[in-house]
Amino acid sequence: MVTMGWLAAATTRIRCGTSVLVLPMRNPFVAAKQVATLHRLSGARITLGVGIGWDADEFTAVGADFGSRAARTDEAIALLRHLFTTGRGPFEGRWYGFETGVFEPRPNGPVPVMTGGVTDAALRRAAKFADIWQGVGLDPTAFGERLAYLRASTNGRTVYPGTRTFARVTLPSA
């Protein structure tokens, strides 16, 4: 988040975002405040990429429950959307909620939410909550198959597909 703030301040056109912010390891109210502030200060150039995480040891290290991470991520995304659009209570979920209060400053426009993953559950999450789906580690055929599954699950919502690629550059030795 700090790096995105610096990048947003140092640029005027580049979009900034997290590839994967492991949301269930964080307080979603704090994450919402950080993202909303960055989005406003950057001129609406922030994309929030979230994931559920995969390393149980990381969750243990921060005192977060590994077993409920998927459901807590879904609820946290719903909470962030509520805070970003409504800015007021009530919000009542299984893990997160509040009755009263005001969330300001709200983002100046929608904050695109990106989720990743290639499992059926990850694609259902993307279909329900995401604006962008990031498929990683798939060959073109598998990407097409996963994209078809995603599109069949969106109930008419638009979810933009994307992928992250890696390039290895080898410099000649001196």
Side-chain angles (χ1 to χ4, degrees), residues 127-158:
K128 185 173 182 181
F129 295 108
D131 301 298
I132 305 162
W133 166 66
Q134 179 177 254
V136 178
L138 300 172
D139 64 36
T141 300
F143 185 86
E145 290 168 358
R146 297 285 68 202
L147 180 57
Y149 183 92
L150 170 68
R151 289 189 170 147
S153 305
T154 62
N155 293 323
R157 285 185 70 246
T158 299

Side-chain angles (χ1 to χ4, degrees), residues 12-95:
T12 58
R13 296 179 302 173
I14 296 172
R15 289 199 58 80
C16 301
T18 55
S19 178
V20 177
L21 177 83
V22 183
L23 194 53
M25 288 179 30
R26 299 173 180 271
N27 178 316
F29 292 97
V30 174
K33 187 64 161 174
Q34 292 170 334
V35 170
T37 300
L38 282 169
H39 197 262
R40 184 170 281 245
L41 292 175
S42 72
R45 293 183 292 129
I46 300 298
T47 297
L48 176 61
V50 301
I52 67 169
W54 60 271
D55 188 345
D57 291 338
E58 288 181 346
F59 281 76
T60 300
V62 298
D65 180 52
F66 184 75
S68 64
R69 70 192 191 283
R72 284 187 300 112
T73 299
D74 293 351
E75 187 174 306
I77 295 170
L79 171 63
L80 268 64
R81 295 259 196 217
H82 177 84
L83 292 170
F84 293 163
T85 58
T86 305
R88 300 187 175 279
F91 181 93
E92 189 57 42
R94 181 173 175 193
W95 288 280

